[in-house]
Each structure stands twice: as structure tokens, then as C-alpha cells.
Amino acid sequence: MKENFDFLMPSVNFFGKGVIKKIGDRAKMLNMKKPLIVTGKTLSHMENGPVAQTTDSLKAAGVDYVIFDGSEPNPKVRNIQAAKKVYLDNNCDSIITVGGGSAHDCGKGLGIILTNGDDITKLAGIETLENPLPPLMAVNTTAGTASELTRHCVITNEKTKLKFVVVSWRNIPLVSFNDPMLELDIPKGLTAATGMDTFVQSIEPYVSTNRNELTDGQCIEAIKLVEESLREAVANGHNVEARTKMVEAEMLGGMAFNNADLGYVHAMAHQLGGQYDAPHGVCCAMLLPIVEKYNIPACPERFAELAKIMGENTDGLSVRDAADLSIKAMRQMCDDVNIPRSIKAIGAKPEDFEMMAENALKDGNAFSNPRKGTKEDIVKLFQEAYDQK
Ligand SMILES: [Fe+2]
């Protein structure tokens, strides 16, 4: 019976100004006695930042806590092992992640090794987790990965430089908090990189082989919101309306790909991120126009629709020509938010392409890509991304 009951875990997604104030009461409702707050150094040192606002709310509700601020960008196996030591040394009973995708994935990774075996590298893949994680809530601070509400946990094995995904419904945080007011001071570069991740996460599920009508609707709305607000959010971080729309886009895209999955942009971006420790959103953005151009023959009508959703005028054009306009719009977005065009910018080396292509095809996100590629195809795509001027 116990096995059946853990399907009944609630998953609630709070969105809007001030929702962070609810976290103390939610911690009590979940019977959290001593959560470990998993975050990074920047946020833990910020005065009245997201960590301080989280702990204020916990204190007001009378909930004890411990802070672990050793989550790095592209969280590593060593980070989750360090978090586990702090968790066990302090007799914690639950986890609260505060940050962007890296903090959430670090916290999920911690939860995974606490209940599913100490070697997380053995759990890479889809629905590999047999046991529930400890109670987990996520306070999100970037309109980016949507890890605060998805099944995905991405960890880097620092020894092999391989990034791998553990995709499981058991990874979904019980409660997520998306308060746009926490995001106003994010620097331009981080806003652009994380925002482009949201853009990619709204496009890949729209052309995925696992898409459905519900996820289509979420993608369409998310793409429109990114078109309306990402440039503004990068230009002026204190534009609350733009920040709010980006958070909404992030959540919708996340809900879409949580069900419809992603594709080769993510499968290949994970290789770049793992090899060169480069920001995930930048890796995704640099690959987006190149991979989606390659994908057009698999579903040209979808790409013609995408062009319209992105605001391009497709009147009188053939489906194929309209599809090309969607690639032009993707490229324009990357340029407008200052994403470098060539993967040389993150130190990519052509001698790594074959190995990365082989691993990209094994990545948990490769299987739902609309066009099925060979290793040679993927090497060519990396080369094309390298040759961009
Ligand atoms: Fe992503």
C-alpha cells in the first residue's frame, strides 16, 4: 500500500508578487522540522535576498533550518555529496532549494542520493528512481530552467566532464515559489542566458515527438511571452511587467516539456556544458537556430506555425519559406540579447565533437527530437555552431 500512496504527493506552483512569504506556512503544512536550504554563495550573502526572505518566513512560522551554500553553477557530484554530509550531520529531514536551476538540481541530486543510492551517476536516465525523495520545496530566482517544477535533474560528473540527466516524477518539488520580485536585480548576462533557456524550452516541446494539444497551448503562450518580454527584461531588469511575463513563460515552458520532453538542443547543450563548464542557457541559445534548421524537414508545418507565433509575417509564403522565417526569428532573438554566435566563445574544440556527438545521442533529451540523426549529423551540427561568424 505504501508504494501506492506516494503517488498522492501534492505538487503546487505558486506564482506572483510576494508568494515567497508563504514558504514558512507551507513548510509547517509539510511537517518539515529542519529543512536543509540548498543554495549558492551569491544568494546566501545577499542582504534581504531570496535566502534571507526564505529564512525570515521560516523563522516567523517557527521552523528550524540549516543552510548549505555550496551549490555551484552546473552542479557537480561533489556538491551533492557535500550537501549530504551537512544534511546528515545536522539531522535535517527535508530540503528547500533557493536559486536557479543549479540550486534546484543540486537539491534534487541530494534528495536522490539520500533515498535511492549514493552513486547518482548510476541513476542517469528516465524514471530510474524507485524511492521517494525527502520532502522538497523550491524557491526559484531565475526565469530559466523551470527545474523548480519539472522531473529533470541535471548533474555534472566532474571526473568525466559528462553532464547527465535523471528524469523522474519523483524529482518534482512538492511546492514551487515563483516570485518575480526576487528577480529584479539579476544581471543582464544572466537574464539573457536563463531567458534563452526558457525560449528553447518552449520551442523544443512544440516540435517534440511527444507533444500534445495541451503542451502545444503552453508552448505557444510561452513563446509569445518571451517575444514580448525577454528583450525588455535584459534591457531593464527593474521592468516588473517584463520580469513577470518571463516568469510566466518559464513556468509554462517547464510544464510543457515536463510532459512533451525536449530535443537535440538540450542533448547537445549538455555536452557543451559538461565539457567546458559553460552556462546552460548560452549553450542552448547558440545551438538553437542551427539544430532547429536541421529539424525543419521533419515537421515543416510546425516551424511555419512557429514563425507566425514569433510575430513573423508569413502571408503568401510557402510552408518551407515560412518555416525558414522561424529560424530567422530565433537568430534575431539570440543577437538582440547578445548571445555569442559561435561555440568558440565557450572554448569548444573540434577534436571533442565526435565524442560529444556520441554522448548527445545517449542523452535523455535526444529521444523526442523530431528528426532522428546519426553521429555524423550531430558532429556536423557542432561544426556548424563552431563556424558561425
Ligand atoms: Fe534547459
Side-chain angles (χ1 to χ4, degrees):
M1 285 304 280
K2 189 174 173 290
E3 287 79 8
N4 292 334
F5 277 122
D6 71 7
F7 276 89
L8 298 175
M9 287 291 205
S11 174
V12 181
N13 307 119
F14 287 116
F15 164 54
K17 285 183 208 169
V19 294
I20 182 69
K21 293 187 174 66
K22 295 173 187 270
I23 194 163
D25 285 341
R26 283 285 155 173
K28 263 171 101 169
M29 280 183 214
L30 287 169
N31 207 20
M32 289 180 163
K33 298 273 192 283
K34 197 198 265 188
L36 182 69
I37 295 176
V38 175
T39 188
K41 297 245 178 322
T42 311
L43 293 187
S44 74
H45 293 147
M46 196 183 283
E47 214 173 305
N48 199 32
V51 172
Q53 293 188 43
T54 300
T55 55
D56 284 350
S57 181
L58 292 173
K59 277 181 213 156
V63 177
D64 197 6
Y65 59 84
V66 175
I67 296 176
F68 168 79
D69 67 1
S71 170
E72 297 176 86
N74 293 320
K76 321 285 187 285
V77 172
R78 64 169 179 255
N79 299 150
I80 62 173
Q81 287 293 346
K84 182 179 173 184
K85 184 166 184 336
V86 177
Y87 185 100
L88 295 176
D89 285 352
N90 289 281
N91 297 314
C92 293
D93 65 351
S94 51
I95 302 165
I96 296 177
T97 59
V98 182
S102 298
H104 306 317
D105 287 353
C106 187
K108 288 175 178 180
L110 163 65
I112 290 168
I113 61 169
L114 284 167
T115 57
N116 283 271
D118 195 52
D119 186 357
I120 194 168
T121 63
K122 290 192 179 139
L123 297 163
I126 298 170
E127 298 305 347
T128 50
L129 304 183
E130 290 185 1
N131 303 313
L133 274 55
L136 170 62
M137 297 201 288
V139 177
N140 193 39
T141 63
T142 60
T145 66
S147 180
E148 77 281 4
L149 52 79
T150 68
R151 297 185 292 147
H152 293 235
C153 169
V154 188
I155 300 291
T156 298
N157 182 343
E158 63 271 25
K159 289 191 184 129
T160 58
K161 293 188 172 179
L162 278 182
K163 224 172 178 183
F164 58 93
V165 279
V166 182
V167 181
S168 170
W169 67 273
R170 295 188 190 275
N171 273 336
I172 300 174
L174 301 178
V175 189
S176 71
F177 300 84
N178 262 296
D179 187 335
M181 302 310 282
L182 299 179
E183 304 199 5
L184 302 188
D185 292 320
I186 296 174
K188 283 181 195 300
L190 185 59
T191 303
T194 52
M196 284 306 298
D197 190 23
T198 282
F199 196 45
V200 173
Q201 287 170 184
S202 310
I203 293 168
E204 288 209 286
Y206 190 71
V207 295
S208 154
T209 53
N210 290 338
R211 65 184 181 252
N212 61 49
E213 288 78 3
L214 180 69
T215 59
D216 281 353
Q218 291 165 326
C219 291
I220 291 168
E221 188 59 25
I223 293 165
K224 285 181 181 168
L225 286 163
V226 174
E227 286 286 352
E228 282 169 30
S229 60
L230 179 55
R231 294 170 178 90
E232 286 86 338
V234 173
N236 174 15
H238 280 245
N239 181 330
V240 175
E241 193 189 341
R243 289 288 191 192
T244 305
K245 284 183 176 178
M246 277 306 300
V247 172
E248 193 180 343
E250 191 245 26
M251 294 177 73
L252 284 166
M255 287 169 186
F257 88 77
N258 209 25
N259 291 284
D261 302 317
L262 295 163
Y264 284 170
V265 179
H266 270 78
M268 292 171 65
H270 286 163
Q271 311 316 313
L272 295 176
Q275 276 300 308
Y276 312 116
D277 207 7
H280 171 66
V282 173
C283 298
C284 283
M286 291 189 294
L287 293 166
L288 176 72
I290 288 150
V291 171
E292 298 310 353
K293 190 173 90 189
Y294 167 83
N295 279 338
I296 287 178
C299 48
E301 296 82 8
R302 302 292 291 182
F303 283 98
E305 285 300 318
L306 270 179
K308 270 194 255 179
I309 297 161
M310 291 172 179
E312 298 292 320
N313 182 359
T314 60
D315 290 351
L317 294 182
S318 67
V319 167
R320 190 62 183 76
D321 286 348
D324 280 340
L325 277 188
S326 71
I327 308 302
K328 181 178 154 248
M330 292 173 207
R331 171 66 69 202
Q332 189 66 56
M333 179 65 84
C334 291
D335 289 350
D336 286 350
V337 299
N338 290 320
I339 300 290
R341 285 198 172 196
S342 167
I343 57 174
K344 281 177 199 157
I346 55 162
K349 296 186 194 74
E351 58 263 36
D352 296 333
F353 293 169
E354 204 158 300
M355 173 268 296
M356 291 199 297
E358 205 167 307
N359 289 324
L361 286 172
K362 291 184 205 153
D363 185 276
N365 295 299
F367 306 102
S368 45
N369 195 68
R371 183 170 173 184
K372 302 301 167 207
T374 60
K375 189 173 93 180
E376 290 68 35
D377 290 343
I378 309 296
V379 169
K380 272 191 206 157
L381 292 172
F382 276 127
Q383 188 65 47
E384 204 182 326
Y386 184 83
D387 292 334
Q388 291 294 306
K389 299 263 185 290

